[in-house]
Amino acid sequence: MKWTHAVAFALLAVGLAGCSKPKQVQPDTSAQAPVDGSAQTSGLGNETGPSTGASAGAMSAAQQQALAALQSRNIVFFEFDSSEIRADYVSVVAAHAAYMTKFPTARVRLEGHTDERGSREYNIGLGERRAQTVRKALMLQGVAEAQITTVSYGEERPAVEGSDESAYAQNRRVELVQVQ
Amino acid sequence: MTFQRAQARPTRLSHARALAWFFVLAGSLATSAHAQLRLDITQGVRDAVPIAVVPFGGQAEGGPNDVAAVIAGDLQLSGRFKPLERRDLVARPTRGEQVRFEDWRLLESDFLVIGHVAPEASGLAVEFELFNVQTGQQLLTKRLVTSERGLRATAHRIADLIFERLTGIPGAFSTRIAYVAVDGRPPRQRYRLMVADADGYGPRIVTESSEPIMSPAWSPDGQSLAYVSFEGKASAIYVQRLATGERKRVSARAGINGAPAWSPDGRKLALTLSRDGNLDLYVLDLATQGLTRLTSDGAIDTEPEWSRDGASIYFTSDRAGNAQVYRVGAGGGQEAQRLTFTNGYNARPRMSPDGESLALVTLDRGAYRIATYDLKTRNVHVLTDGRQDEAPSFAPNGAILIYATRAGAKGTLAMASADGRFQQRLSSDTGDVREPVWSPFPPAQR
């Protein structure tokens, strides 16, 4: 098994942040739940998340391996009302930047989220601000603007249920979803 | 841009009960074909005025068209009245000459409503009388012609008239409420935009999706809803006509399309876009698609709300470090003016029907609560005592607000009077209910 430099860098970066708890992002299930008889309003997304592996055919083995290595490190968490990337998640962004500069066809969707406190549309703004922070960090590390899209879900798509600090901490996040 | 048809599926309710809200969701979850969401009043209201509403003659008691039950339910929901339990009614008069006022005085009922339903050539005639129990004086009587299908609407109309006669404020019982209902656990959730009568009866699905739906807003004529939908993995604003289900995508620009708010004349939408990577306010002309930019601050500017004269926009911004309410001219090219300074967090302003105050979400001693902000005195008056109250919406008569609160882990609805005298929680059986928005008055009442 031969690893590319990019993968080696990504794994090194992951290793450097060993003190933080690794989080597993949920597979992108939204496209799997069509709405009965109401196609106009159902989720129309047909992009394939990394965990499904369905797009593997178009990718080199090296890229597939690099992508697989990113799967366990694709969420950046935030403090309350903050959009600053915490030191322990700098390596997550760096790993994705390394992958995306190595494979210029790679595309990432940055999904910004907040906890449930405060008004919903304001939280859309806060989630967007978080996604933009990660976007800028990726671009500073050489990722092309065209490789990145952002979306803010605010508090509308929590990762976990609950109204305590532990749930809030897990919901304040940007998910880096590699879409190709 | 073309209209396309979206789902508008009517559902029927098997029975209704006075003093309770029923929401029937046409559930399409695997576990239940028709999940029922019932909202009960869980908190008594102090100082509520006792009133007896006697079952109307000419119709069987119970069932969804029980006129007296609908009237009593409305009066109870207003928070100002406490209808007597049906089992405590000492008599069943249906016409004025049958009333013995001393019976009702013993029950300590201040007012009495009686009436009857009778067939007539063009349908049904509903006649009612309102009495002051102490004086025996008839305060109001009226005869309304309707049909079997129109009985509930007629009952709401009677409740409107009684409420206005006794409080001086037009009743808002002939209105509707839109809200978002969410089922399922993260990350697989289903989002439905619903519309029901103001007493929760007859919920209909306006649209549904496996992606978030948020921020419903009634058009000033009550015919359409604007809302945000994330179908297609990006936000877009839609306008949907309720009668036909036709809908139009009015804004799907790159980035965020959020927080739609109708201008008072219904011709424009104020909204939030993120063209420069952060949220700013714009006004979209629905006929010409012309876009006017209102703010260009680097902060979050969102949640626009029009002044009654259409000249100004109130909105939330964190340009000073935390969320506060500002005002800017609706025509563009103006500096925004900060309005709120207290509590470290004031957001989502909503204009009162008289244009004199804003309802907003404020951070009150560590909890998010509903407050009013008086535009003249600048006083902030906290109305609620929840931990996470949000999304206030005035009834069109301005007397009461509906808002979203949490009951345990679930989102549910609650009401508070605009003067802060009472609030009542409404509990639900299933799902998460949020973002309630009260419709305008129907055309006949405007």
Side-chain angles (χ1 to χ4, degrees):
Chain A
M1 187 183 286
K2 284 184 179 176
W3 288 1
T4 66
H5 291 303
V7 173
F9 179 86
L11 292 182
L12 178 65
V14 169
L16 285 174
C19 57
S20 66
K21 237 194 304 180
K23 303 280 183 187
Q24 196 83 32
V25 70
Q26 298 290 341
D28 184 358
T29 57
S30 49
Q32 299 167 10
V35 176
D36 314 323
S38 161
Q40 291 89 348
T41 56
S42 63
L44 301 175
N46 54 10
E47 293 150 338
T48 305
S51 52
T52 67
S55 59
M59 251 183 224
S60 68
Q63 188 172 354
Q64 282 180 48
Q65 284 176 8
L67 191 54
L70 288 175
Q71 270 189 52
S72 60
R73 296 285 290 165
N74 52 9
I75 310 184
V76 175
F77 294 93
F78 294 83
E79 300 291 346
F80 175 63
D81 206 20
S82 165
S83 56
E84 207 174 304
I85 299 172
R86 284 151 55 180
D88 40 350
Y89 295 105
V90 168
S91 63
V92 173
V93 178
H96 282 262
Y99 167 76
M100 297 187 74
T101 49
K102 176 77 181 176
F103 301 105
T105 58
R107 297 286 181 275
V108 71
R109 184 174 67 239
L110 305 175
E111 301 182 349
H113 301 268
T114 69
D115 67 36
E116 65 183 17
R117 290 174 289 178
S119 71
R120 292 177 179 275
E121 286 284 0
Y122 178 74
N123 282 341
I124 291 286
L126 195 50
E128 174 70 9
R129 189 180 275 166
R130 286 174 178 156
Q132 290 294 334
T133 304
V134 174
R135 176 174 170 268
K136 281 170 196 155
L138 287 172
M139 286 168 64
L140 278 174
Q141 293 169 63
V143 179
E145 193 168 4
Q147 288 177 276
I148 309 170
T149 58
T150 61
V151 61
S152 173
Y153 288 109
E155 63 180 281
E156 307 303 315
R157 292 197 78 125
V160 298
E161 282 181 304
S163 297
D164 52 30
E165 187 43 53
S166 150
Y168 294 159
Q170 293 180 69
N171 288 334
R172 291 190 299 263
R173 69 203 193 277
V174 169
E175 297 189 8
L176 296 88
V177 183
Q178 294 289 344
V179 293
Q180 188 202 312
Chain B
M1 212 167 286
T2 56
F3 279 105
Q4 51 184 198
R5 214 180 152 69
Q7 191 86 337
R9 207 187 301 165
T11 62
R12 279 196 69 87
L13 197 61
S14 59
H15 68 288
R17 201 174 73 191
L19 320 186
W21 277 31
F22 283 83
F23 280 54
V24 177
L25 298 182
S28 47
L29 298 173
T31 48
S32 61
H34 288 279
Q36 182 167 290
L37 167 59
R38 189 175 68 198
L39 304 178
D40 291 309
I41 291 167
T42 55
Q43 219 175 352
V45 179
R46 253 178 293 155
D47 308 328
V49 174
I51 186 168
V53 186
V54 179
F56 276 36
Q59 63 168 177
E61 287 187 38
N65 293 339
D66 183 325
V67 172
V70 173
I71 295 169
D74 284 348
L75 294 174
Q76 168 99 9
L77 276 174
S78 78
R80 301 190 183 221
F81 295 94
K82 188 170 59 186
L84 267 59
E85 296 282 347
R86 210 161 251 199
R87 62 173 179 272
D88 295 334
L89 301 176
V90 290
R92 292 283 200 275
T94 62
R95 289 167 202 280
E97 62 270 19
Q98 300 164 351
V99 177
R100 286 161 38 95
F101 288 102
E102 53 273 29
D103 293 345
W104 302 100
R105 283 181 204 125
L106 283 173
L107 281 174
E108 295 183 339
S109 171
D110 291 3
F111 299 100
L112 172 68
V113 178
I114 61 167
H116 54 270
V117 180
E120 66 135 60
S122 58
L124 294 171
V126 183
E127 200 168 345
F128 75 95
E129 294 172 79
L130 168 69
F131 293 100
N132 179 326
V133 168
Q134 288 308 312
T135 64
Q137 186 194 0
Q138 186 195 64
L139 300 174
L140 185 65
T141 182
K142 200 156 183 163
R143 184 172 182 274
L144 299 99
V145 176
T146 182
S147 63
E148 187 69 27
R149 273 189 64 190
L151 270 175
R152 283 191 72 90
T154 301
H156 289 309
R157 189 71 202 115
I158 293 171
D160 285 336
L161 295 168
I162 291 170
F163 187 84
E164 180 160 16
R165 180 66 184 80
L166 297 179
T167 66
I169 302 164
F173 306 117
S174 301
T175 54
R176 290 180 289 173
I177 286 168
Y179 56 96
V180 176
V182 183
D183 283 312
R185 299 169 77 89
R188 288 191 186 215
Q189 293 187 288
R190 291 179 83 72
Y191 302 79
R192 293 186 184 87
L193 176 57
M194 309 290 298
V195 169
D197 290 352
D199 64 348
Y201 182 82
R204 287 192 308 141
I205 299 171
V206 176
T207 192
E208 62 178 317
S209 175
S210 53
E211 299 288 334
I213 295 171
M214 60 187 296
S215 302
W218 289 93
S219 62
D221 65 5
Q223 302 291 305
S224 303
L225 283 172
Y227 57 90
V228 174
S229 170
F230 282 77
E231 59 200 73
K233 299 214 179 288
S235 60
I237 297 172
Y238 294 83
V239 170
Q240 185 162 335
R241 288 184 190 163
L242 295 176
T244 62
E246 285 176 316
R247 69 172 195 163
K248 190 176 184 181
R249 198 173 70 179
V250 298
S251 184
R253 291 161 176 85
I256 288 166
N257 299 267
W262 296 85
S263 62
D265 65 8
R267 293 180 180 178
K268 296 170 186 167
L269 283 182
L271 46 81
T272 301
L273 301 175
S274 62
R275 288 177 145 186
D276 311 326
N278 83 295
L279 274 61
D280 280 305
L281 299 180
Y282 295 78
V283 170
L284 174 71
D285 186 307
L286 288 168
T288 68
Q289 292 291 306
L291 205 56
T292 306
R293 186 172 192 155
L294 302 189
T295 67
S296 50
D297 198 274
I300 295 171
D301 292 340
T302 189
E303 299 173 341
E305 170 80 338
W306 295 77
S307 63
R308 288 289 153 212
D309 63 4
S312 309
I313 301 274
Y314 299 93
F315 65 101
T316 308
S317 175
D318 69 350
R319 59 186 65 193
N322 51 33
Q324 295 291 346
V325 174
Y326 292 72
R327 175 172 54 204
V328 71
Q334 286 187 30
E335 278 298 301
Q337 180 192 355
R338 181 170 170 178
L339 298 183
T340 58
F341 291 87
T342 55
N343 295 359
Y345 185 100
N346 292 290
R348 202 175 189 273
R350 285 295 175 268
M351 180 57 68
S352 66
D354 65 10
E356 290 180 6
S357 61
L358 297 169
L360 41 79
V361 178
T362 194
L363 189 59
D364 175 44
R365 288 164 290 173
Y368 293 90
R369 290 175 176 152
I370 309 303
T372 52
Y373 170 85
D374 188 306
L375 287 163
K376 277 200 197 94
T377 67
R378 303 189 152 225
N379 285 335
V380 175
H381 181 192
V382 177
L383 303 180
T384 68
D385 62 5
R387 301 290 310 165
Q388 261 184 72
D389 299 339
E390 59 182 23
S393 173
F394 277 99
N397 67 1
I400 198 165
L401 298 103
I402 192 163
Y403 61 98
T405 187
R406 295 198 76 82
K410 261 186 344 188
T412 187
L413 306 182
M415 292 189 182
S417 69
D419 60 10
R421 268 177 56 244
F422 69 87
Q423 48 181 309
Q424 42 192 18
R425 307 278 167 90
L426 307 155
S427 71
S428 61
D429 294 355
T430 58
D432 222 42
V433 187
R434 57 177 71 153
E435 297 201 81
V437 216
W438 217 307
S439 79
F441 279 126
Q445 237 178 306
R446 253 175 253 154

